[in-house]
Amino acid sequence: MNNYIKEQSLGDVKVNFRLRDATFSRQRYWGEPFPIYYKEGIPTLLSDEQLPLQLPAIDSFLPTESGEPPLGRANNWHTKEGYPYELSTMPGFAGSSAYYLRYMDPHNEHALVGKEKNEYWRQVDLYIGGTEHATGHLIYSRFWNKFLFDLGVVCEDEPFRKLVNQGMIQGRSNFVYRIKDTNTFVTLGKKEAYETTEIHVDVNIVHNDVLDLEAFRKWRPEFATAEFVLEEDGTYVCGWAVEKMSKSMFNVVNPDDIVRNYGADTLRLYEMFLGPLEQSKPWDTKGIDGVHRFLKKLIGLFYQDETWKVTDIAPTNEELRSLHKLIRKVGQDIEQFSFNTSVSAFMICVGELQQQKTTSKQILEPLLIVLSPFAPHLTEFLYQKMHEAECSIVTAEWPKFEEKYLVENTVKYPVSFNGKVRFTLTLPADTSKEEVEKIALEAPDTEKWLEDKTPKKIIVVPGRIVNIVF
């Protein structure tokens, strides 16, 4: 369309570039120092031979008493001739805007990145970061990369081949309800009977929306003498809402507490189980218990009353089907960053293997390998126990999906009479339509439901259903 506008003399095409403005100079210690000194008050660049300029040791990272940045505290922060260096440093996005190029050739003392190394690595294949990260950092990486490309320093016009923005984790806030002009708090189920004020409460002293009363009294001095109007079962139930995670709303969850109470694997799995990667998702500690129970079920496949129960018995067709459904599903999900549905698939597979009373190593070992990227600590422990040797699951080969194990050998046919299912037939999958009809008519239960009537029509949908109409 742009070309058409120019060719038809309908107008001119102009490209406007806009770079989000940001202060490049920071009055702090950390960050790259500017390679600048002041000669008689005139800012002057250091020569290449004098680089790199490295941060000096200082006794405090606070500003000086006269208000200068922390570098003002450094001794001998000047050139050999005594000219003072710049006291401000570059911002965090200065060096980080080019670090991906430096990774390609980290030991090169003559260039940011050598031509041969850059042409080998070229660009970042996949970059995953939050939306705020994209606008506060990646925009500068792209700007700098295009500048370097125009200079011929790098071989790719774009720094990243693919970018995935992960959604923000939102907080799940909790509220208590203080009765007006008192220090008494009424539970959610009874608050309508009172005039109340809604107050945010620290979510770390609430479990499944139930308030820890003693922890609440210790939380803040003014609540030390708090009284409560409770539910009939003696609990205080809090209100809740999904809001941005913020210290002011007391809904920030410390991951160290989750790891301490549930383990790192539970935390990892739960974060992936929250929802699609690119969507914003509310953090809700209620779901953590479910994920934790799943890991306990997994352990139950390997141990019974602290006794190791994995065997070398050959797997059944049903066990192989459950395993290879999982291998196919997780393999597809990882490529699509659909980690939440992978966690669901793990739960389904472990549930099926529990029902099948699986103990076969040929099933449980590949199960651990597929789960290991999601729960690396537990799977590493079980894998080493299974091999009774110095080995690691991270070096194990990814299980190969085989379609043949998903082919059904038998088919269950619901047999209906005038549209109502009365019983089920299990037949070989390759049974012909005519044979299915014959077997259905000769089945003992058919005579009971026909009640000596002659069928008017018999409908057989291969692999699906039999319907006898009379």
Side-chain angles (χ1 to χ4, degrees):
M1 185 175 290
N2 288 341
N3 291 334
Y4 179 82
I5 289 172
K6 290 191 292 185
E7 291 168 0
Q8 301 298 317
S9 299
L10 298 174
D12 293 323
V13 176
K14 181 181 178 183
V15 178
N16 291 321
F17 293 95
R18 180 179 180 272
L19 181 65
R20 184 174 153 199
D21 189 26
T23 304
F24 202 80
S25 178
R26 302 291 167 91
Q27 286 68 54
R28 60 187 186 189
Y29 173 80
W30 48 90
E32 296 84 351
F34 286 95
I36 290 175
Y37 64 92
Y38 291 87
K39 184 176 181 180
E40 300 176 0
I42 304 299
T44 308
L45 282 172
L46 286 174
S47 65
D48 289 350
E49 291 74 25
Q50 295 172 292
L51 298 178
L53 179 61
Q54 297 182 335
L55 289 170
I58 57 176
D59 56 2
S60 173
F61 300 107
L62 298 174
T64 66
E65 288 72 14
S66 58
E68 293 175 326
L71 282 178
R73 297 178 175 275
N75 295 321
N76 303 320
W77 186 237
H78 52 68
T79 65
K80 292 180 180 178
E81 298 78 17
Y83 298 121
Y85 288 128
E86 169 63 49
L87 298 183
S88 296
T89 59
M90 299 185 205
F93 60 77
S96 65
S97 291
Y99 74 95
Y100 62 96
L101 292 170
R102 192 61 182 167
Y103 276 155
M104 301 176 186
D105 196 6
H107 304 298
N108 192 327
E109 296 183 2
H110 306 288
L112 173 64
V113 58
K115 181 178 179 181
E116 184 180 343
K117 294 289 183 68
N118 183 236
E119 288 180 346
Y120 173 80
W121 292 106
R122 306 197 73 82
Q123 62 193 156
V124 176
D125 295 310
L126 172 65
Y127 201 116
I128 299 178
T131 53
E132 293 177 350
H133 186 67
T135 57
H137 161 64
L138 298 186
I139 190 173
Y140 292 100
S141 290
R142 190 164 184 259
F143 178 75
W144 285 32
N145 192 93
K146 286 184 173 292
F147 172 70
L148 294 171
F149 177 76
D150 290 345
L151 291 179
V153 175
V154 298
C155 62
E156 289 286 355
D157 185 36
E158 294 286 351
F160 313 116
R161 185 172 296 173
K162 182 176 181 179
L163 170 66
V164 175
N165 282 330
Q166 63 193 32
M168 184 179 294
I169 301 295
Q170 298 170 318
R172 190 178 188 277
S173 302
N174 280 116
F175 306 102
V176 292
Y177 303 95
R178 181 161 57 189
I179 300 174
K180 187 177 180 181
D181 299 327
T182 72
N183 203 24
T184 300
F185 296 82
V186 59
T187 185
L188 177 65
K190 298 183 179 180
K191 78 180 186 70
E192 297 303 327
Y194 301 87
E195 184 178 355
T196 62
T197 301
E198 184 180 85
I199 301 173
H200 279 88
V201 65
D202 187 351
V203 296
N204 295 292
I205 59 174
V206 179
H207 184 71
N208 291 343
D209 293 335
V210 175
L211 179 68
D212 183 330
L213 303 183
E214 289 307 310
F216 179 75
R217 290 191 176 103
K218 296 175 182 177
W219 178 45
R220 284 161 59 175
E222 62 265 36
F223 300 146
T225 59
E227 299 295 332
F228 301 93
V229 178
L230 305 175
E231 301 284 345
E232 298 303 326
D233 61 358
T235 61
Y236 186 101
V237 178
C238 298
W240 64 274
V242 174
E243 302 174 296
K244 183 176 180 179
M245 198 172 281
S246 166
K247 291 181 180 178
S248 64
M249 297 176 184
F250 306 106
N251 61 359
V252 176
V253 178
N254 187 342
D256 292 342
D257 295 335
I258 303 296
V259 172
R260 190 179 303 111
N261 295 328
Y262 295 95
D265 285 342
T266 297
L267 174 62
R268 288 171 60 95
L269 278 171
Y270 177 63
E271 284 190 311
M272 287 181 272
F273 194 43
L274 280 172
L277 177 67
E278 298 183 50
Q279 292 183 11
S280 293
K281 302 166 282 287
W283 179 275
D284 183 359
T285 52
K286 286 184 178 179
I288 294 177
D289 290 328
V291 173
H292 194 58
R293 285 195 299 272
F294 157 70
L295 289 177
K296 287 183 175 180
K297 285 183 180 180
L298 175 74
I299 295 172
L301 294 173
F302 297 82
Y303 284 96
Q304 183 172 10
D305 298 329
E306 301 184 6
T307 300
W308 185 254
K309 64 178 189 177
V310 178
T311 66
D312 292 322
I313 190 172
T316 65
N317 289 334
E318 289 75 15
E319 292 170 336
L320 288 167
R321 187 175 300 113
S322 295
L323 173 65
H324 283 267
K325 278 194 303 182
L326 179 71
I327 296 172
R328 179 176 64 176
K329 175 65 175 167
V330 174
Q332 293 170 346
D333 284 350
I334 288 176
E335 293 294 328
Q336 299 167 3
F337 306 101
S338 183
F339 306 123
N340 58 312
T341 54
S342 286
V343 178
S344 297
F346 286 125
M347 293 177 174
I348 292 170
C349 180
V350 168
E352 291 176 353
L353 296 180
Q354 263 193 330
Q355 292 180 345
Q356 296 158 8
K357 300 185 181 345
T358 300
T359 61
S360 173
K361 181 180 178 181
Q362 295 180 51
I363 298 295
L364 297 179
E365 182 175 2
L367 170 64
L368 288 180
I369 297 171
V370 176
L371 180 59
S372 62
F374 299 78
H377 305 89
L378 178 58
T379 52
E380 177 73 32
F381 169 77
L382 294 172
Y383 186 82
Q384 290 191 17
K385 172 67 177 177
M386 183 178 291
H387 287 268
E388 297 182 349
E390 286 290 332
C391 62
S392 175
I393 198 168
V394 300
T395 61
E397 184 178 350
W398 188 262
K400 183 179 179 181
F401 164 67
E402 296 189 47
E403 184 76 40
K404 65 181 181 180
Y405 293 120
L406 301 190
V407 177
E408 296 285 351
N409 296 321
T410 60
V411 176
K412 290 185 178 181
Y413 282 91
V415 181
S416 301
F417 293 83
N418 289 341
K420 293 184 178 181
V421 178
R422 299 302 185 182
F423 63 91
T424 301
L425 289 174
T426 300
L427 303 175
D430 58 356
T431 305
S432 66
K433 182 177 179 179
E434 293 74 18
E435 189 67 19
V436 171
E437 179 179 327
K438 181 175 182 294
I439 294 172
L441 286 173
E442 294 176 354
D445 286 335
T446 298
E447 183 178 350
K448 168 187 172 183
W449 291 106
L450 276 178
E451 298 175 349
D452 297 327
K453 296 177 183 177
T454 302
K456 296 179 181 178
K457 185 190 298 184
I458 301 174
I459 302 169
V460 177
V461 180
R464 300 290 298 279
I465 194 171
V466 178
N467 187 22
I468 299 174
V469 181
F470 58 89

